[in-house]
Amino acid sequence: MKVLKVHKPSLANEQHFQFGVDVKALIEAVGAGIIGIAEFTVIYYALLEQEDKAMEFFRKSGLTSPIAALDIQRDSIYRGLCLITEGYSHSKLSAESEAAAQIQLVIDQYGDFRAEDYNKETGTITNFVQALTERCAGALALLRLDRWATDLSDTNNEFKTLMNDRYDDQATQAGINLRNIRVQVDKVYTQMMSAVDSASFLKPDDAVLNDFIARLNTRLADYKKMIALHQSNLAKNAAAKQ
């Protein structure tokens, strides 16, 4: 039995923190004795406290809504662009599948940058869109993805304007800190779950271990459904725009 995979960068800030709280509670309830994870739990719990404190600024100030909303929007546009490209890669029309392959090369070059801190993601999106428009103009037009590239650029510029002009240094730094902490939390979580999978491989009949993984996977399945629902709505919106 292995731990389910969840794309945690797709979770909103409060969902991401609640995810960590759920994992922590489960470890404390039934998983504390699992060999290999003790060295990670102390770090994981400490990072969760930092994440909670980083979010407190936004909870009190109300600044999280416009910044986070635009960040989610640009991430969604990027995801939509990727989904449509993936769809066209299976087209029976060679012109469409070849255009999709050309765009996919750029997507693969830049990778999934949605988990980066705000400033790095903003810069990467700028470069990504520039590479797309310079190298794939014809392919974008053929698949009607040129407007998606424009939407991604416009949303990214709007995000950058909010960060640079409408919020003070404290708010900007708080947003960057929260994103950085999320990345650290996810890194430790991945290491911890790798240890769990390794323990399960070595002791496939361990009742405590299997109970922990089964309970964890039940929770992870709920989060996967949450993300899948969001992506499904995104795909429907993408289809509607075509």
Side-chain angles (χ1 to χ4, degrees):
M1 185 181 299
K2 297 189 69 174
V3 177
L4 291 175
K5 303 295 184 182
V6 174
H7 189 259
K8 294 175 290 302
S10 296
L11 296 169
N13 287 333
E14 287 290 354
Q15 293 171 339
H16 186 276
F17 177 67
Q18 187 58 49
F19 177 95
V21 171
D22 288 347
V23 172
K24 178 176 182 287
L26 187 59
I27 292 174
E28 292 176 336
V30 295
I34 296 176
I35 297 175
I37 70 170
E39 62 182 289
F40 300 110
T41 55
V42 175
I43 301 173
Y44 190 68
Y45 297 168
L47 286 171
L48 285 179
E49 290 184 9
Q50 291 182 35
E51 184 175 1
D52 190 24
K53 291 178 180 178
M55 289 174 60
E56 192 62 28
F57 173 83
F58 296 108
R59 292 183 182 127
K60 291 179 178 179
S61 67
L63 295 179
T64 186
S65 295
I67 290 180
L70 277 174
D71 184 46
I72 291 173
Q73 184 179 356
R74 64 182 183 175
D75 287 353
S76 295
I77 295 171
Y78 167 79
R79 179 59 178 161
L81 190 153
C82 292
L83 287 171
I84 297 172
T85 301
E86 168 65 18
Y88 274 115
S89 71
H90 303 287
S91 174
K92 291 183 178 180
L93 299 178
S94 59
E96 291 181 345
S97 61
E98 290 170 4
Q102 185 179 355
I103 296 170
Q104 190 63 49
L105 286 175
V106 180
I107 293 175
D108 292 342
Q109 177 185 347
Y110 283 85
D112 190 347
F113 43 73
R114 291 174 293 169
E116 301 290 352
D117 67 61
Y118 282 158
N119 284 344
K120 185 172 182 179
E121 180 177 356
T122 300
T124 302
I125 289 176
T126 299
N127 294 333
F128 172 70
V129 173
Q130 182 177 352
L132 275 180
T133 54
E134 289 180 353
R135 292 158 51 184
C136 308
L140 290 172
L142 177 65
L143 303 184
R144 290 186 291 179
L145 281 171
D146 43 357
R147 184 168 59 80
W148 282 79
T150 300
D151 287 348
L152 179 57
S153 178
D154 290 346
T155 304
N156 192 52
N157 288 335
E158 186 177 354
F159 178 91
K160 183 163 54 177
T161 298
L162 284 177
M163 291 291 285
N164 291 340
D165 299 338
R166 294 183 58 187
Y167 296 100
D168 58 22
D169 291 340
Q170 184 181 12
T172 301
Q173 190 60 44
I176 294 172
N177 286 343
L178 178 57
R179 178 62 71 91
N180 287 339
I181 292 170
R182 282 187 53 157
V183 171
Q184 293 178 56
V185 169
D186 291 345
K187 180 179 179 180
V188 176
Y189 170 85
T190 299
Q191 293 172 332
M192 190 161 51
M193 292 307 114
S194 293
V196 171
D197 283 338
S198 296
S200 178
F201 177 78
L202 295 173
K203 296 183 177 182
D205 298 323
D206 188 305
V208 173
L209 184 60
N210 288 334
D211 181 47
F212 171 78
I213 296 177
R215 294 193 189 192
L216 176 61
N217 281 348
T218 297
R219 290 164 171 78
L220 296 181
D222 289 337
Y223 282 99
K224 286 177 72 70
K225 290 178 182 178
M226 189 184 307
I227 294 172
L229 178 61
H230 170 71
Q231 293 181 343
S232 176
N233 291 334
L234 179 62
K236 291 178 182 177
N237 292 336
K241 292 182 178 180
Q242 288 296 297

